[in-house]
Amino acid sequence: MRPVQESAIPTTAPDAVLFRSPQIADGVRLWEIAANTEVLDLNSSYAYLLWCRDFSRSSIVAVVDERIVGFVTGFIRPESPETLFVWQVAVDADQRGKGIAGRMLSSLLDRLAPDGIERLETTISPDNEASIALFTALARHRGMAIAKDELFSPNDFPDGHEAEDLYTIG
Ligand SMILES: CC(C)(COP(=O)(O)OP(=O)(O)OC[C@H]1O[C@@H](n2cnc3c(N)ncnc32)[C@H](O)[C@@H]1OP(=O)(O)O)[C@@H](O)C(=O)NCCC(=O)NCCS
C-alpha cells in the first residue's frame, strides 16, 4: 500500500485563528501582549490573572498555533446589565491587520447576545487612531450606531494621563 503523504493529512491551517474565553494560565500572555503594545496602560500581572478568573465570560482571546496572539478584557456593567464595557484590546504586532481584533469583539458580542447584552462601551484616548478605527469599523460591520461623549479629562487623573472619551455602540 502506498504510504500516506504527510501533506495529504488534513491539518489546521497554520494561520487559523481560534477564539475562546481566557483561563488563569493565560494571564501571563495577556500581561505580555499588553506590555509589548507600549501604548496600553499596563496593569499589574495580578490584575490580568484575576481578570482571567473572574471576568472570563466577558473576555476573549485569539489563539494561533496554540499561542495567544490577542485579547479583549471586558466586564458587564453592574449598573447597566445590558452593557459590555471593553477595557483593553490588543493584538501582537505581527498579527495586526488580519481582522483579529474585530473578530474578537464580534465573537464576544455574539456570545453575550443570548444574555441580553445589546450595547458596548469603551473609552479611547483622542490620539489612538487604530482604536477609533477598530470600534468605528465594528459598528459599521454590525449595523450599529456609534456615539462619542467626554468621560475622563486629564484633570480626573493623578498622573498626567490623557483624556479618555466614551464610545457607545448600540
Ligand atoms: C488596535 C488593535 C487592537 C487593532 O488590531 P487588529 O487585529 O490589527 O485590527 P483589525 O485587523 O481587526 O482591524 C479592524 C478594523 O480597524 C481598522 N484598523 C485597525 N488598525 C488600524 C490602524 N492602525 N489604522 C487604521 N485603521 C485600523 C481596520 O482597517 C479594520 O477596519 P475594516 O474592517 O473596515 O477594514 C491593534 O492595533 C493593537 O493591539 N494596538 C495596540 C493596543 C491598542 O491601541 N488597543 C486599543 C485600545 S484598548
Side-chain angles (χ1 to χ4, degrees):
M1 192 173 31
R2 257 177 86 197
V4 177
Q5 298 273 315
E6 199 169 321
S7 60
I9 300 170
T11 55
T12 309
D15 58 351
V17 186
L18 174 94
F19 300 98
R20 63 165 172 79
S21 300
Q23 303 160 0
I24 290 175
D26 301 326
V28 173
R29 273 297 289 148
L30 270 58
W31 182 87
E32 284 174 357
I33 293 170
N36 289 340
T37 67
E38 296 179 355
V39 296
L40 289 184
D41 289 344
L42 183 62
N43 301 296
S44 68
S45 53
Y46 180 92
Y48 291 94
L49 266 64
L50 187 68
W51 211 268
C52 290
R53 190 191 83 143
D54 284 347
F55 299 95
S56 177
R57 186 164 164 69
S58 51
S59 302
I60 193 165
V61 294
V63 183
V64 173
D65 277 346
E66 298 179 15
R67 179 175 170 82
I68 294 179
V69 299
F71 72 85
V72 175
T73 46
F75 63 91
I76 309 303
R77 289 193 65 208
E79 297 80 4
S80 176
E82 69 284 359
T83 303
L84 168 70
F85 185 91
V86 170
W87 189 4
Q88 290 191 316
V89 186
V91 173
D92 271 340
D94 64 353
Q95 296 288 334
R96 290 181 193 162
K98 299 179 178 178
I100 291 179
R103 283 150 68 199
M104 285 195 293
L105 289 166
S106 254
S107 300
L108 196 49
L109 285 174
D110 288 344
R111 185 209 292 164
L112 294 172
D115 298 354
I117 305 300
E118 51 196 35
R119 187 181 308 127
L120 181 155
E121 286 185 356
T122 195
T123 70
I124 308 178
S125 301
D127 64 354
N128 193 336
E129 291 176 13
S131 190
I132 294 168
L134 169 65
F135 285 97
T136 304
L138 177 76
R140 190 174 65 246
H141 289 312
R142 296 185 71 96
M144 296 164 86
I146 182 165
K148 181 177 92 164
D149 295 289
E150 289 178 10
L151 184 60
F152 302 132
S153 79
N155 289 338
D156 292 323
F157 293 97
D159 54 2
H161 194 290
E162 286 178 281
E164 290 279 347
D165 293 327
L166 177 68
Y167 285 74
T168 305
I169 296 178

